[in-house]
Amino acid sequence: MSRCCVIFDLDDTLYPERAFALSAFDAIGEWAEANLGVAGLNDDMVRLLDAGHLGQIFPLSLQRRGVDAAHAGHLLELYRQHQPASLQLYPDTTACLDACAARGAIGLITDGTVAVQQAKVRALGIGRRFQHIVYTHGLGGRGFAKPHPAAFEAMQSTVGRAGERFVYVGDNPAKDFLSPNRMGWTTVQVVRPSRIHASATTIEGGAPQHILTTLAALPALLER
């Protein structure tokens, strides 16, 4: 069995990001009913999520209820501060992580507000599985989010051995694969049903080298 370092994305790769969003929407809906007198705002936000309004969910949900959109900033903070009681990995994740850990180091690179991503990792109970985790916004803010190469460079310099093969597994061709492609890594997209960024457009140089529909197929791919 050849050694390699397998680095994973988090959202919609290891667990369904939608589950975190729905949990946060429920908490926001409870706050909105208690403080703004608006019931059912969580259902409105779910419909906007499903309609693809990812960046405008909070102001649009308020506007459609005739509520001052100035509250959107507070809704965003509630989203970021939300601590999910629990999240569930995809059924194929645990066995895949175990198989990859048997081959070498495994790591995690994830975008988003650091506190939010850390809360997800805690809720999933996976932090100790990884030799190294890079929260991209912790490198200096949103400007260091993928496809910025800094997270991949930091990972490569921290785990693995000289000359060892690196593999990156993610879901979003708009950002996940450009930098590892340029660095000579093997790149793998996992195409999950109902992933939030299903409509993402592949950027130039950002196409994955391999596409899977389940992490269960990753160990066999690594043998090639």
Side-chain angles (χ1 to χ4, degrees), residues 6-84:
V6 185
I7 315 303
F8 294 89
D9 171 53
L10 177 62
D11 298 308
D12 281 340
T13 298
L14 301 184
Y15 88 103
E17 185 177 6
R18 180 184 175 86
F20 178 85
L22 296 186
S23 178
F25 291 167
D26 285 344
I28 292 169
E30 291 177 6
W31 179 89
E33 185 167 4
N35 293 274
L36 301 177
V38 178
L41 196 67
N42 54 325
D43 293 330
D44 294 347
M45 291 187 287
V46 171
R47 284 190 286 271
L48 288 167
L49 175 68
D50 291 341
H53 299 288
L54 297 180
Q56 295 295 316
I57 287 175
F58 302 128
L60 285 177
S61 63
L62 293 170
Q63 289 170 4
R64 293 182 180 188
R65 291 300 192 98
V67 179
D68 189 347
H71 291 291
H74 186 64
L75 299 191
L76 176 59
E77 285 307 307
L78 290 172
Y79 186 92
R80 289 174 173 170
Q81 295 168 11
H82 170 64
Q83 301 292 318

Side-chain angles (χ1 to χ4, degrees), residues 122-157:
R122 285 194 299 271
L124 290 165
I126 57 174
R128 293 184 179 181
R129 284 184 166 274
F130 300 104
Q131 278 65 56
H132 190 48
I133 299 176
V134 178
Y135 299 98
T136 62
H137 288 200
L139 298 175
R142 294 175 61 89
F144 286 84
K146 298 173 285 185
H148 195 286
F152 299 93
E153 293 167 351
M155 184 65 72
Q156 186 165 275
S157 67

Side-chain angles (χ1 to χ4, degrees), residues 1-6 96 98-104 165 167 186 188 210 212 215-224:
M1 180 187 297
S2 60
R3 281 184 56 87
C4 63
C5 296
V6 185
C96 178
D98 289 342
C100 292
R103 305 180 67 97
R165 177 188 181 192
V167 179
T186 300
V188 183
H210 305 277
L212 304 177
L215 285 177
L218 183 62
L221 175 63
L222 298 180
E223 293 291 346
R224 297 180 189 175

